[in-house]
């Protein structure tokens, strides 16, 4: 119980080195990259797409209408086609979101087992953890729906009230200052609630998943078990969250720099294709928009996979860090992460070799009888 968050950094680094480099196996890296994407364990950030606007402003004049906003000149038939396409994209995005949410729920357990056992097997893991993943999917579904409703009411109701107040009040400096103060207060409340939501998600990924995996509990009972374990040790959990935040920011910076080269390798050809389309005189229509969406989605998937390959050490380190911290407080995990050494059976004492006792000298032959 005396293990602190700082004490767990070195064991997690050692765990990462042993799993990825002792020995190095590219097959495991490739599987872990896929697991990282589907489990939502990518630690790369800082992407800056601001240069896209500059690129568009310096596009060549040939085929300029390809990138120009020509939508206002589309006839009503085209408008209906685009409306149908947008509706189909939105519907597909919603379906894909919930499908990914289910896959993500199962892969959280696959990632947990992969780090714990230092071996990644996706097919076996899916068969083993799809039942626990369904339970975790229900938890994520409840979280998504409740979060949407909560923030909808938190932001929507005050905005409606302020809008009604603005319409009924006369313009004055006092009224403007009151509305500005209300907006600032609302932003502060929203940020605080967003921080609380992030903390809940981190606790679920790092500690709820091991409890559900090792005790076969649903998410409600697992939360009760986690709260019981956290009771009386909240200070160290707070230090754990702060230290993890610092390390996550450092990982974002480091792996974002490392991912720049593969990102440029993938983004460069995409830009060339756009320029080639502009030079060919292509215009926006249902066909070109559909092709852009399809190939853009494929390029995005490839980019995510390459970035996940680069960030694989972070994919292992952060779950390992959570395990070493939680194992000191959760005996079920501690027994698996740090198994007790198997006692060596006692070697039986070898009986001493007895020396052959000296033989008595042979007796002289008996005398023959006389007569």
């Amino acid at each position: 119980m005396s293990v602190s968050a700082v004490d767990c950094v070195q064991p997690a680094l050692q765990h990462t080195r042993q799993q990825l480099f002792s020995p190095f196996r590219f097959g495991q890296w490739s599987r872990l990259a896929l697991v990282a994407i589907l489990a939502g364990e990518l630690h790369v950030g800082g992407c800056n797409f601001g240069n896209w606007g500059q690129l568009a402003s310096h596009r060549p004049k040939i085929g300029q209408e390809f990138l120009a906003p020509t939508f206002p000149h589309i006839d009503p038939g085209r408008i209906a086609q685009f409306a149908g396409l947008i509706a189909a994209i939105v519907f597909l995005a919603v379906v894909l979101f919930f499908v990914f949410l289910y896959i993500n729920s199962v892969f959280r357990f696959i990632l947990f087992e992969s780090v714990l056992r230092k071996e990644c097997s996706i097919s076996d893991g899916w068969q083993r953890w799809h039942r626990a993943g369904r339970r975790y999917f229900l938890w994520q579904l409840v979280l998504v729906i409740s979060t949407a409703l909560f923030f909808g009411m938190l932001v929507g109701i005050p905005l409606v009230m302020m809008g009604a107040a603005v319409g009924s009040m006369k313009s004055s400096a006092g009224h403007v200052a009151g509305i500005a103060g209300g907006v600032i207060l609302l932003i502060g409340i929203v940020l605080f609630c967003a921080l609380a939501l992030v903390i809940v998600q981190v606790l679920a990924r790092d500690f709820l998943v091991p409890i559900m995996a090792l005790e076969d509990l649903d998410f409600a009972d697992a939360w009760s078990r986690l709260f019981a374990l956290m009771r009386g040790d909240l200070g160290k959990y707070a230090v754990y969250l702060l230290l993890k935040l610092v390390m996550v920011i450092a990982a974002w910076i480091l792996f974002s720099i490392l991912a720049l080269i593969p990102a440029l390798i993938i983004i460069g050809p995409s830009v060339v294709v756009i320029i080639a389309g502009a030079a060919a005189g292509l215009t926006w229509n249902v066909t070109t928009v559909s092709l852009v969406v399809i190939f853009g989605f494929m390029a995005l998937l490839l980019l995510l996979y390459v970035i996940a390959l680069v960030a694989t050490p972070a994919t292992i380190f952060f779950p390992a860090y959570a395990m070493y911290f939680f194992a000191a407080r959760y005996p079920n995990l501690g027994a698996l992460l740090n198994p007790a050494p198997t006692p060596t059976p006692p070697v039986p004492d070898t009986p001493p070799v007895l020396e052959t006792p000296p033989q008595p000298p042979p007796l002289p032959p008996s005398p023959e009888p006389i007569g």
Side-chain angles (χ1 to χ4, degrees), residues 90-226:
V90 171
F91 176 76
L92 182 61
V94 173
V95 173
L96 288 178
F97 171 78
F98 286 104
V99 170
F100 176 79
L101 194 65
Y102 176 76
I103 296 174
N104 169 266
S105 302
V106 180
F107 270 80
R108 288 307 311 181
F109 292 89
I110 296 176
L111 177 62
F112 167 73
E113 183 187 35
S114 299
V115 177
L116 181 63
R117 296 176 52 213
K118 300 180 183 178
E119 185 65 39
C120 181
S121 177
I122 295 178
S123 58
D124 294 341
W126 181 272
Q127 304 238 340
R128 194 158 34 245
W129 295 112
H130 67 88
R131 182 167 175 266
R134 282 199 300 267
R135 296 175 176 176
Y136 193 70
F137 171 70
L138 291 177
W139 150 249
Q140 296 211 85
L141 203 58
V142 170
L143 182 65
V144 167
I145 295 175
S146 59
T147 300
L149 293 176
F150 175 77
F151 279 98
M153 292 187 295
L154 179 65
V155 177
I157 294 177
L159 287 180
V160 171
M161 294 177 63
M162 283 189 290
V166 169
S168 61
M169 288 189 305
K170 296 180 179 180
S171 176
S172 66
H175 293 158
V176 173
I179 293 174
V183 171
I184 294 174
L185 178 62
L186 178 61
I187 293 175
I189 295 175
V190 169
L191 291 178
F192 177 80
C193 294
L195 177 62
L197 176 62
V198 171
I199 292 175
V200 170
Q201 290 177 329
V202 172
L203 293 177
R205 289 197 306 264
D206 292 354
F207 307 136
L208 188 71
V209 167
I211 294 176
M212 295 179 67
L214 300 182
E215 298 191 32
D216 196 24
L217 299 176
D218 59 24
F219 69 87
D221 293 335
W223 274 114
S224 299
R225 181 87 170 95
L226 177 58

Side-chain angles (χ1 to χ4, degrees), residues 50-363:
N51 293 331
W52 285 84
Q54 298 178 2
L55 177 65
S57 63
H58 293 88
R59 59 186 178 269
K61 294 182 179 180
I62 300 176
Q64 187 171 0
E65 65 275 6
F66 178 72
L67 295 176
T70 59
F71 290 98
H73 304 288
I74 298 178
D75 57 71
R78 290 280 185 88
I79 293 177
Q81 290 179 344
F82 276 107
L85 179 61
I86 293 173
I89 292 175
V90 171
F91 176 76
L92 182 61
V94 173
V95 173
L96 288 178
F97 171 78
F98 286 104
V99 170
F100 176 79
L101 194 65
Y102 176 76
I103 296 174
N104 169 266
S105 302
V106 180
F107 270 80
R108 288 307 311 181
F109 292 89
I110 296 176
L111 177 62
F112 167 73
E113 183 187 35
S114 299
V115 177
L116 181 63
R117 296 176 52 213
K118 300 180 183 178
E119 185 65 39
C120 181
S121 177
I122 295 178
S123 58
D124 294 341
W126 181 272
Q127 304 238 340
R128 194 158 34 245
W129 295 112
H130 67 88
R131 182 167 175 266
R134 282 199 300 267
R135 296 175 176 176
Y136 193 70
F137 171 70
L138 291 177
W139 150 249
Q140 296 211 85
L141 203 58
V142 170
L143 182 65
V144 167
I145 295 175
S146 59
T147 300
L149 293 176
F150 175 77
F151 279 98
M153 292 187 295
L154 179 65
V155 177
I157 294 177
L159 287 180
V160 171
M161 294 177 63
M162 283 189 290
V166 169
S168 61
M169 288 189 305
K170 296 180 179 180
S171 176
S172 66
H175 293 158
V176 173
I179 293 174
V183 171
I184 294 174
L185 178 62
L186 178 61
I187 293 175
I189 295 175
V190 169
L191 291 178
F192 177 80
C193 294
L195 177 62
L197 176 62
V198 171
I199 292 175
V200 170
Q201 290 177 329
V202 172
L203 293 177
R205 289 197 306 264
D206 292 354
F207 307 136
L208 188 71
V209 167
I211 294 176
M212 295 179 67
L214 300 182
E215 298 191 32
D216 196 24
L217 299 176
D218 59 24
F219 69 87
D221 293 335
W223 274 114
S224 299
R225 181 87 170 95
L226 177 58
F227 290 151
L229 292 170
M230 293 177 61
R231 191 176 298 117
D233 203 20
L234 294 179
K236 291 185 178 180
Y237 280 92
V239 174
Y240 166 84
L241 292 172
L242 290 175
L243 182 57
K244 183 171 183 178
L245 174 62
V246 173
M247 291 190 295
V248 165
I249 294 174
W252 279 349
I253 297 173
L254 173 62
F255 289 104
S256 295
I257 295 173
L258 295 177
L260 280 178
I261 295 178
L264 291 176
I265 292 175
I266 297 174
I267 294 175
S270 302
V271 175
V272 171
V273 170
I274 293 177
I275 296 176
L282 296 178
T283 58
W284 288 115
N285 52 51
V286 175
T287 302
T288 55
V289 171
S290 301
L291 290 175
V292 167
V293 171
I294 293 173
F295 286 102
F297 184 70
M298 294 173 61
L300 177 61
L301 291 181
L302 180 59
L303 179 62
L304 285 177
Y305 185 75
V306 173
I307 290 176
L309 275 176
V310 174
T312 298
T315 301
I316 299 300
F317 170 77
F318 285 103
Y321 173 64
M323 287 182 190
Y324 280 97
F325 177 82
F326 196 43
R329 294 153 177 83
Y330 182 43
N332 293 18
L333 179 59
L336 295 175
L337 191 62
N338 301 304
T342 304
T344 305
V347 179
D349 295 335
T350 305
V353 179
L354 298 177
E355 297 182 0
T356 305
Q359 298 293 329
L363 295 174

